[in-house]
Amino acid sequence: MAEQTTLKRTPLRDVHVALGAKLVPFAGYEMPVQYPGGITAEHRAVRESCGVFDVSHMGEFWINGERAVDFVNYVTTNDVAALAAGQAHYSTILNDRGTIEDDCLVYRFEHRVMMVVNASNAPKDYAHIARHASRFGVDVHDATDDMTLLAVQGPATAPILQTLTATDLSAIKYYHFAEGEVAGRRAIISRTGYTGEDGFELYIDNESAVPIWEALMATGQVVPAGLGARDTLRLEMGMALYGNDIDDTVTPLEANLAWLVKLPKGDFVGSDALKRQKAEGLKKRLVGFTMTDRQIPRHGYPIYYEGQPSGIVCSGAMSPSLGIAIGTAYLPMAGAKEGTAFEIEIRGKRFPATVTRPPFYKNASHL
Amino acid sequence: MSEIPQDLLYTEDHEYLKPAAEAGLVYIGITDYAQGELGDVVFVELPKVGATFSKHDVFGTIEAVKAVSELYAPVSGEIVEINARLDAEPALVNSSPYGDGWMVKVKLSNEAERASLLDAAAYSKKVGQ
């Protein structure tokens, strides 16, 4: 049967078009990469005041069943049992080789768990975890097509959003969430984000997407921001992007995500492989770097360590906040420390780069 | 709709040629359409004054936030001046592509090459306007 190649649309697609957004294919969806103000202005709005991103392409799975926590603990690396109801954490999903199938957020509710995964990986993730479901007697429901996700981000977000909800936002701490209403419509209000700034992610029903978006716009204080700004904002914080910084060729230990791996919690998918790698020692590790030249290091550009080819740039950008080129790359362990000099080839010429510990941007507002 | 001034010449690669006050000299930059497609320009790498190029040679690079683009010489000639302001203010390419965002001033070595360029009507058609 022929593959359906039509791009999916979020409920806000026509709103983006009306705003003059540049739409691009991303993870099977037609998504706004920028609005007419441009990536730099959108980036600045989020760092200085408030921006809103439509990230409805992200995948959401609901896990129902008495052993939902045990199940998610088995298919992810972080310790779900350590979460209180109303709390969330960042985690990874591994395969038996211990390499990363996806990174995700895990939300613990009173009687169920929600996993939020990358759009491009959602079908694969679902198949990967659902095969363990019967063993734990849980039901895994893919709600991706039924939910809209808005990320409202920036230091001014809380006071702006507070005007649209009766839920006391000051009572929601970083990486916690509450169920309430925004603009009169039910929402999961989560104090999380991918920008380093304070802000909230709103999980809402598709039919609430346009009304809530318009309520945010009506405040006059929220700037629409696209995937372009989302990428520069997350990279300034050194936050990983699946497909660039992490994929199924690296383990979380190599990807600087060891803080998401809780081996003492007991057996989970990939734990044996990680124990072996820990015993043998790492050969490479993901590092951040900065450059003094003004060419932009982009994903895939070759890198040279001690004069030898040593992989590629994972993520790279001209930092809008700092005005310098920043990025990430895997280096052999001997070089994976602050201050190491190496080179990046840009259009046939090699330019110096220096290992720098992220976050590159130090003044973010997150709590 | 992007701006396409009537009195300039254009290339398929979205550069323009604008006559300078001095005979035989032209300003070269990228069109309004091109800057819109590229998005925010963060760095423009330009050649040195005195460098010579043949038509279609790469003479510089534009780094925008999401993409990098080569600059191709629309005509053969010698660089007589570069727009030094772009070093500190690359965003001039976005805000004023035909004015303060010009890139190089060139002395043509073969006037006949002008005939190979597009006029405003032909360029408008190319970009679908």
Side-chain angles (χ1 to χ4, degrees):
Chain A
M1 243 167 53
E3 195 81 17
Q4 177 61 267
T5 52
T6 310
L7 291 173
K8 289 202 208 174
R9 294 174 169 185
T10 80
L12 289 162
R13 187 257 182 194
D14 292 347
V15 172
H16 302 317
V17 171
L19 286 167
K22 194 175 282 183
L23 298 177
V24 297
F26 184 82
Y29 287 78
E30 201 178 10
M31 297 299 289
V33 67
Q34 66 168 87
Y35 298 84
I39 293 172
T40 310
E42 293 166 22
H43 180 107
R44 198 162 294 140
V46 172
R47 285 272 178 259
E48 292 170 3
S49 53
C50 183
V52 59
F53 304 82
D54 175 11
V55 283
S56 302
H57 59 303
M58 299 293 285
E60 293 90 7
F61 303 150
W62 285 107
I63 293 91
N64 286 295
E66 253 175 59
R67 297 188 65 204
V69 168
D70 294 341
F71 168 78
V72 181
N73 239 348
Y74 184 70
V75 298
T76 62
T77 57
N78 211 334
D79 187 4
V80 187
L83 290 176
Q87 193 178 6
H89 67 204
Y90 182 45
S91 191
T92 52
I93 302 169
L94 308 184
N95 53 42
D96 290 330
R97 304 189 307 281
T99 60
I100 304 174
E101 289 290 325
D102 206 355
D103 58 340
C104 64
L105 289 181
V106 174
Y107 287 81
R108 185 171 183 178
F109 290 73
E110 201 71 55
H111 298 294
R112 53 184 185 162
V113 175
M114 180 172 73
M115 294 173 69
V116 181
V117 302
N118 282 296
S120 52
N121 291 333
K124 174 192 84 169
D125 291 340
Y126 183 84
H128 178 71
I129 66 172
R131 63 200 161 96
H132 303 289
S134 62
R135 226 182 92 197
F136 289 85
V138 299
D139 173 62
V140 182
H141 172 65
D142 182 351
T144 304
D145 292 341
D146 309 323
M147 287 174 92
T148 290
L149 176 54
L150 298 181
V152 194
Q153 300 279 298
T157 301
I160 295 168
L161 191 62
Q162 190 65 76
T163 64
L164 301 176
T165 180
T167 301
D168 177 10
L169 298 180
S170 68
I172 306 174
K173 302 298 172 205
Y174 195 50
Y175 269 83
H176 285 70
F177 64 96
E179 292 174 270
E181 285 189 352
V182 174
R185 291 163 178 273
R186 68 186 186 127
I188 299 167
I189 305 168
S190 168
R191 200 161 202 158
T192 48
Y194 195 43
T195 63
E197 299 300 333
D198 189 21
F200 292 84
E201 292 180 300
L202 308 176
Y203 296 87
I204 56 183
D205 299 322
N206 286 341
E207 56 268 29
S208 302
V210 172
I212 291 180
W213 177 280
E214 283 175 353
L216 289 165
M217 290 300 117
T219 66
Q221 302 174 73
V222 184
V223 175
L227 294 179
R230 188 168 158 84
D231 190 48
T232 50
L233 287 158
R234 68 94 195 163
L235 182 55
E236 284 187 342
M237 301 312 297
M239 293 171 170
L241 172 63
Y242 196 90
N244 277 30
D245 304 297
I246 54 177
D247 58 26
D248 65 1
T249 67
V250 295
T251 71
L253 307 181
E254 293 165 331
N256 241 349
L257 298 174
W259 59 286
L260 303 180
V261 177
K262 304 290 160 61
L263 289 171
K265 75 175 178 174
D267 191 34
F268 59 88
V269 179
S271 58
D272 288 345
L274 294 188
K275 282 179 204 158
R276 269 198 307 279
Q277 186 176 55
K278 227 173 165 177
E280 289 166 6
L282 299 180
K283 292 188 175 61
K284 60 175 180 180
R285 197 161 62 78
L286 186 68
V287 298
F289 66 79
T290 54
M291 298 176 75
T292 49
D293 289 283
R294 291 167 68 192
Q295 274 79 5
I296 301 182
R298 297 181 194 269
H299 176 70
Y301 286 4
I303 66 172
Y304 295 85
Y305 170 65
E306 296 193 322
Q308 299 302 310
S310 184
I312 57 167
V313 171
C314 293
S315 292
M318 181 63 67
S319 161
S321 302
L322 307 173
I324 57 166
I326 59 173
T328 60
Y330 284 89
L331 283 186
M333 283 312 280
K337 54 180 183 286
E338 185 111 27
T340 299
F342 64 102
E343 290 177 309
I344 298 174
E345 187 182 307
I346 301 177
R347 290 181 294 282
K349 250 174 87 181
R350 293 190 200 175
F351 294 89
T354 307
V355 174
T356 309
R357 189 191 299 272
F360 301 105
Y361 179 70
K362 315 281 189 200
N363 300 318
S365 61
H366 87 67
L367 314 177
Chain B
M1 284 288 255
S2 60
E3 190 194 344
I4 302 175
Q6 283 302 319
D7 51 339
L8 309 189
L9 292 171
Y10 301 90
T11 71
E12 301 267 342
D13 300 315
H14 309 287
E15 280 116 10
Y16 66 81
L17 234 75
K18 180 180 170 184
E22 309 91 327
L25 297 191
V26 294
Y27 291 101
I28 292 172
I30 64 165
T31 64
D32 188 29
Y33 174 84
Q35 70 77 20
E37 288 297 300
L38 268 177
D40 294 346
V41 172
V42 292
F43 176 58
V44 184
E45 189 177 24
L46 296 174
K48 292 202 165 33
V49 170
T52 58
F53 292 90
S54 299
K55 186 177 157 113
H56 296 316
D57 280 357
V58 172
F59 73 89
T61 309
I62 306 179
E63 294 270 19
V65 177
K66 290 312 282 181
V68 60
S69 182
E70 308 277 20
L71 289 164
Y72 295 95
V75 288
S76 307
E78 180 188 341
I79 308 289
V80 297
E81 189 181 347
I82 61 169
N83 185 355
R85 280 184 73 187
L86 295 184
D87 191 51
E89 300 170 85
L92 288 173
V93 175
N94 295 113
S95 59
S96 178
Y98 302 112
D100 292 340
W102 65 277
M103 289 170 185
V104 291
K105 198 170 173 185
V106 169
K107 183 176 193 299
L108 271 70
S109 59
N110 180 1
E111 283 288 338
E113 283 175 356
R114 285 183 195 256
S116 66
L117 301 173
L118 307 174
D119 63 13
Y123 182 68
S124 299
K125 211 167 152 190
K126 157 148 182 83
V127 300
Q129 291 189 8

